[in-house]
Amino acid sequence: NSSFSYAHVCILIFISALWLIKKQMHKDMEKQLDRYSQEIDQRTKEKQFLLKDLHDGVGGLITTIKFLAEMAGDKRYQGNTGKMLSTITDLSRDSITEIKRFISSLDEKETDWEALSADFSYFGENMIESMGLLFNIRITIDQKAPKLNTVVYLNLFRIYKEALTNIVRHAGAKKVQVILEAGEKMVTLEVADDGQGIEKKKKQGRGLANMQKRASEMGGDLEIESGKGTRIKIVIPHIFL
């Protein structure tokens, strides 16, 4: 009788163990499916963003090129043909750069903090120093900084590019200071100049509005301080990286 009872207990323990293992495997499978579903959603959102960004960026440049080309062929604007062709050349060059950046962003290996830092330095040095201005950039990347995704990568670069373009066109500055810090909990970007500042009474173009929109898309805040020069600062919490 004791042997019979012992055998039943062993069978019961064995069945219970199998049930627990099966339950744990089911939980692990659910977690994997959830992660996979989240990755698909993230990829879909990134794809939608990239297509929109391509449309707004390259699409806008090509539309302008087409418009200028048509004007250059119009006899009424023959006096400005040279200037139009020069602008078309510049816009074509920008279009090629945009396409290269878009293609590069599709490669996951290129979408990281090191690649973004290199892009920041290269673009800033070429744009600012070529205009005879002093350019200084400081980049700090924490080892614990979250992985950088494509959407944040492109949005940060667009904001940075817009900020530098505004400085060159409107600030009348002599020095430009850029600070990029990627930490464990947030990423901070600051672009400052010693120019004339932003005139509050003057109607602003779409540049600042676009920067604000891109910051909001990343769940970040965009601050603008203007007086003796202008400082633009964006802070993005890590949950959106």
Side-chain angles (χ1 to χ4, degrees), residues 25-76:
M25 290 176 64
H26 182 71
K27 286 183 178 180
D28 292 341
M29 185 177 294
E30 284 185 339
K31 289 180 180 179
Q32 290 179 2
L33 289 173
D34 286 340
R35 284 197 296 267
Y36 182 65
S37 177
Q38 291 174 3
E39 288 178 2
I40 291 177
D41 290 341
Q42 180 65 26
R43 289 294 182 187
T44 301
K45 290 179 181 178
E46 289 185 6
K47 183 178 179 180
Q48 291 173 346
F49 172 83
L50 288 171
L51 291 174
K52 181 179 181 298
D53 194 73
L54 182 64
H55 176 271
D56 294 344
V58 179
L61 289 170
I62 292 176
T63 300
T64 304
I65 290 172
K66 179 178 179 295
F67 175 72
L68 290 173
E70 290 174 348
M71 289 184 64
D74 193 324
K75 294 181 180 180
R76 293 175 296 175

Side-chain angles (χ1 to χ4, degrees), residues 6 18 20 23 30 48 53 67 69 96 102 116 129 137 143 154 180 183 194 201 207 225 228 240:
Y6 180 76
L18 287 178
L20 289 173
K23 185 177 181 181
E30 284 185 339
Q48 291 173 346
D53 194 73
F67 175 72
I96 293 173
F102 177 80
L116 182 64
E129 293 182 354
I137 184 169
Q143 292 183 349
L154 288 175
L180 175 64
D194 63 345
K201 295 181 179 179
E225 297 180 3
K228 293 182 178 179
F240 290 92

Side-chain angles (χ1 to χ4, degrees), residues 199-230:
E199 297 181 27
K200 294 182 179 180
K201 295 181 179 179
K202 187 177 179 180
K203 185 178 179 180
Q204 302 299 327
R206 296 178 58 188
L208 293 177
N210 287 337
M211 284 191 282
Q212 182 65 62
K213 180 182 178 181
R214 289 183 180 276
S216 298
E217 288 177 352
M218 296 183 287
D221 295 320
L222 181 68
E223 301 175 3
I224 301 176
E225 297 180 3
S226 186
K228 293 182 178 179
T230 302

Side-chain angles (χ1 to χ4, degrees), residues 48 55 64 71 84 114 130 145 164 186 191 199 212 221 235 239:
Q48 291 173 346
H55 176 271
T64 304
M71 289 184 64
M84 291 178 186
E114 287 72 20
S130 65
L164 294 190
M186 66 183 65
V191 181
E199 297 181 27
Q212 182 65 62
D221 295 320
V235 178
I239 57 174

Side-chain angles (χ1 to χ4, degrees), residues 27-211:
K27 286 183 178 180
D28 292 341
M29 185 177 294
E30 284 185 339
K31 289 180 180 179
Q32 290 179 2
L33 289 173
D34 286 340
R35 284 197 296 267
Y36 182 65
S37 177
Q38 291 174 3
E39 288 178 2
I40 291 177
D41 290 341
Q42 180 65 26
R43 289 294 182 187
T44 301
K45 290 179 181 178
E46 289 185 6
K47 183 178 179 180
Q48 291 173 346
F49 172 83
L50 288 171
L51 291 174
K52 181 179 181 298
D53 194 73
L54 182 64
H55 176 271
D56 294 344
V58 179
L61 289 170
I62 292 176
T63 300
T64 304
I65 290 172
K66 179 178 179 295
F67 175 72
L68 290 173
E70 290 174 348
M71 289 184 64
D74 193 324
K75 294 181 180 180
R76 293 175 296 175
Y77 304 102
Q78 284 184 351
N80 295 321
T81 301
K83 185 176 181 180
M84 291 178 186
L85 292 176
S86 177
T87 303
I88 288 174
T89 301
D90 293 338
L91 292 176
S92 299
R93 188 182 300 112
D94 290 342
S95 298
I96 293 173
T97 301
E98 288 291 325
I99 292 172
K100 287 181 178 179
R101 191 172 304 285
F102 177 80
I103 294 173
S104 176
S105 68
L106 297 178
D107 186 355
E108 291 184 3
K109 295 180 180 179
E110 295 295 330
T111 310
D112 54 29
W113 291 112
E114 287 72 20
L116 182 64
S117 300
D119 280 348
F120 268 37
S121 298
Y122 180 79
F123 183 82
E125 290 169 0
N126 278 272
M127 170 170 273
I128 301 301
E129 293 182 354
S130 65
M131 301 300 295
L133 309 180
L134 294 177
F135 177 71
N136 182 41
I137 184 169
R138 187 177 80 235
I139 299 175
T140 305
I141 308 297
D142 194 310
Q143 292 183 349
K144 296 181 180 180
K147 182 180 178 181
L148 184 63
N149 64 50
T150 304
V151 174
V152 176
Y153 182 99
L154 288 175
N155 269 328
L156 276 174
F157 188 82
R158 297 293 189 197
I159 292 174
Y160 175 67
K161 180 180 177 181
E162 189 71 46
L164 294 190
T165 300
N166 286 342
I167 291 174
V168 171
R169 290 179 177 175
H170 309 296
K174 295 181 179 179
K175 294 187 296 184
V176 179
Q177 170 74 43
V178 176
I179 299 175
L180 175 64
E181 296 178 346
E184 182 179 2
K185 296 183 178 181
M186 66 183 65
V187 57
T188 304
L189 170 64
E190 291 187 36
V191 181
D193 66 75
D194 63 345
Q196 60 188 1
I198 300 174
E199 297 181 27
K200 294 182 179 180
K201 295 181 179 179
K202 187 177 179 180
K203 185 178 179 180
Q204 302 299 327
R206 296 178 58 188
L208 293 177
N210 287 337
M211 284 191 282

